[in-house]
Amino acid sequence: MSMLHGLYVSSVVQVCEDHVLSGSGDSKVRLWQTSTEKLVGELAIHQDEVFNIVRIVNYEDAVSGLSISSLSDPGALSVPARKTAATKGLANFKQHYFASASYDNTIMIFMVMENIIEAKDGSGPRSKCSSPVLVKLLDGLWTGQIVSLNEGEVFAGTSEGGYVQLIDRKTARPPADKEKKKLFKIREKRNSRADDTILSTLFTKSRLELEIPSNLPLCLTPVPINEDEYMENLAVGYRLGDVVVWNWKEPRKVHHIQAHTDEVRALASFDDGRVASVGDDKHLKVWRGAKCVQDMRFDFLLSAVATSGRTSCAVGAKNGDIYLVNVKNGALLHTISAQKRCVENGIRSIVFVRSPAESDKEAVRLVIGSNDRTIKALLIRPNVTRRFSMIEDLSSDFSSMMRESTVTV
């Protein structure tokens, strides 16, 4: 059994230790149990490809405090309200909220319920998740890739109009069918680019815009400002190679960097506010403010990046390779080579998997989504790479892995 979609996998997001979500070009959002590679459930609400999935907020409520009256299908949640012989322990429930953005001009907010059971036999907690449930469908304001800001109260999304759209989740409206049809017609006439004048007329939300013609935003990531207080800027990567850090609340530009010589394909931030960027110029660069503090060149076009802690970075290439990097000293620690190096195996999404119960400090655990339609869960140790039976977390950086090794998966 394998974790598979009908088309390319555009996004992967961790739910808990043993479950991940995936979005795909086949328009579906799927929930997987990685230990068994079993499909737990799916949502087929979107009518077109899913750009990406982001976590909104993570609630942890007692069963008696759950409020599911506003859910589209409250009956989909079947949870025991008391201790039973079957569970052999006390059940705790977590509500995990996510949002997915689609080419159909909608943002879907949905929820996954996690049931955590403390087993009496001492084997540790076990996690079981319900099938994802639709909570709300919003007008996407013609955004592409989105991120969650201000603890999930605001979405920022790339726009075909050439700007970054800011959407207030609480006041956002449902999809407007008439306007959506109108925009589809405009899109066809303008060769896959919506008319910015029409967009401005239809939508009046705040936006971040550069005065550079044809410099479309392609990717974005929140950037922490203060580790002790929840504050964040927004970093945006553009088609002409720019990376702009925005104070999105004011709004104003904090830094404007000519970061790459070609399209910026992916961004990720470190805990201390540094930003990692990758692009079609084959470079991974790390930025502290407007200063480049690390620059590494690879042999292939780069398409995805993920960070962990302050020094760990995973980079995906369009040929299917994955590189593990220590950005502190610029060391290439590990290369996972694709069996067949081609665009069809290109990496679209990478996530480090986290859990508080990490015993192997040198292990690196990744989940990747690719053009080959698969979601792969990998455990990487020095000189060993294999598919792993249970996602566990990376509780420390893998900076101790100082010997480079190359393996094939």
Side-chain angles (χ1 to χ4, degrees):
M1 185 181 295
S2 60
M3 296 182 284
L4 191 68
H5 274 273
L7 289 173
Y8 63 85
V9 179
S10 56
S11 182
V12 288
V13 177
Q14 183 186 10
V15 178
C16 59
E17 289 186 28
D18 197 24
H19 293 82
V20 294
L21 285 162
S22 60
S24 169
D26 63 10
S27 78
K28 294 179 174 61
V29 172
R30 288 179 170 172
L31 176 66
W32 305 90
Q33 184 180 31
T34 53
S35 60
T36 61
E37 297 188 337
K38 177 183 177 182
L39 177 63
V40 178
E42 71 174 34
L43 282 173
I45 305 298
H46 290 305
Q47 302 301 310
D48 212 323
E49 63 185 278
V50 177
F51 290 125
N52 72 322
I53 304 172
V54 295
R55 181 183 292 273
I56 299 178
V57 69
N58 188 357
Y59 290 108
E60 184 174 354
D61 293 339
V63 177
S64 59
L66 293 179
S67 175
I68 59 174
S69 58
S70 62
L71 298 181
S72 301
D73 184 14
L77 296 181
S78 177
V79 294
R82 58 186 176 85
K83 178 179 175 179
T84 65
T87 61
K88 296 183 180 180
L90 294 175
N92 298 311
F93 297 92
K94 288 184 179 180
Q95 298 175 68
H96 301 275
Y97 287 84
F98 301 89
S100 58
S102 171
Y103 196 75
D104 68 3
N105 191 31
T106 61
I107 294 175
M108 177 176 66
I109 298 176
F110 61 98
M111 186 265 281
V112 174
M113 180 73 80
E114 180 190 4
N115 182 356
I116 303 173
I117 302 172
E118 291 290 345
K120 283 188 174 180
D121 60 8
S123 59
R126 303 173 199 171
S127 180
K128 184 177 181 180
C129 288
S130 70
S131 181
V133 178
L134 174 65
V135 176
K136 193 176 184 181
L137 199 62
L138 304 177
D139 192 327
L141 303 191
W142 221 247
T143 54
Q145 186 182 127
I146 62 171
V147 294
S148 173
L149 300 171
N150 202 32
E151 297 185 304
E153 293 191 1
V154 175
F155 296 126
T158 58
S159 169
E160 293 188 0
Y163 52 83
V164 175
Q165 183 75 55
L166 299 176
I167 303 172
D168 189 321
R169 175 173 59 87
K170 294 182 178 179
T171 60
R173 64 187 181 186
D177 291 335
K178 291 183 179 179
E179 291 177 358
K180 190 160 61 174
K181 290 178 182 177
K182 188 175 183 181
L183 284 171
F184 268 117
K185 291 180 181 179
I186 295 167
R187 189 189 200 105
E188 293 172 0
K189 290 180 181 179
R190 291 179 59 85
N191 190 23
S192 298
R193 183 174 176 183
D195 190 314
D196 187 48
T197 303
I198 299 296
L199 286 173
S200 300
T201 303
L202 295 175
F203 308 130
T204 58
K205 298 291 183 181
S206 300
R207 63 193 195 186
L208 310 173
E209 190 166 10
L210 286 178
E211 295 179 357
I212 302 176
S214 302
N215 200 7
L216 299 179
L218 300 178
C219 53
L220 61 178
T221 187
V223 181
I225 299 174
N226 190 323
E227 294 183 59
D228 300 322
E229 184 179 353
Y230 190 85
M231 298 175 62
E232 61 197 348
N233 286 326
L234 177 67
V236 183
Y238 291 83
R239 187 173 69 179
L240 299 182
D242 303 77
V243 171
V244 179
V245 178
W246 295 89
N247 179 325
W248 59 272
K249 290 185 177 181
E250 293 189 3
R252 62 178 175 84
K253 287 185 288 186
V254 180
H255 303 292
H256 187 164
I257 313 160
Q258 186 58 48
H260 295 267
T261 58
D262 211 325
E263 296 183 358
V264 181
R265 287 298 178 180
L267 297 169
S269 60
F270 291 91
D271 293 344
D272 60 1
R274 286 170 301 145
V275 175
S277 62
V278 297
D280 281 353
D281 60 1
K282 304 180 183 179
H283 282 262
L284 161 68
K285 295 185 178 182
V286 179
W287 305 91
R288 179 179 285 111
K291 181 181 179 181
C292 181
V293 294
Q294 191 59 257
D295 186 356
M296 299 180 65
R297 191 180 189 279
F298 296 86
D299 294 331
F300 301 97
L301 302 179
L302 304 180
S303 53
V305 64
T307 60
S308 177
R310 298 191 177 191
T311 62
S312 305
C313 194
V315 179
K318 288 188 176 180
N319 72 332
D321 286 355
I322 301 171
Y323 311 105
L324 303 185
V325 176
N326 183 325
V327 297
K328 184 177 181 180
N329 55 19
L332 176 61
L333 307 175
H334 205 91
T335 301
I336 305 171
S337 299
Q339 288 181 338
K340 183 181 179 182
R341 289 177 166 174
C342 58
V343 175
E344 287 75 15
N345 289 333
I347 307 300
R348 281 181 172 261
S349 182
I350 306 177
V351 61
F352 281 95
V353 183
R354 300 179 177 276
S355 165
E358 174 62 58
S359 57
D360 188 347
K361 300 301 182 183
E362 291 192 335
V364 178
R365 288 165 169 80
L366 297 173
V367 177
I368 59 175
S370 308
N371 280 338
D372 64 5
R373 305 182 297 146
T374 64
I375 301 101
K376 294 185 179 71
L378 301 174
L379 169 64
I380 303 108
R381 292 193 182 97
N383 302 317
V384 178
T385 300
R386 62 176 175 83
R387 196 177 287 257
F388 61 90
S389 60
M390 175 110 178
I391 286 189
E392 298 174 3
D393 247 1
L394 185 66
S395 60
S396 63
D397 291 345
F398 52 85
S399 56
S400 58
M401 295 169 52
M402 295 309 297
R403 182 171 63 256
E404 177 185 346
S405 58
T406 304
V407 294
T408 301
V409 284

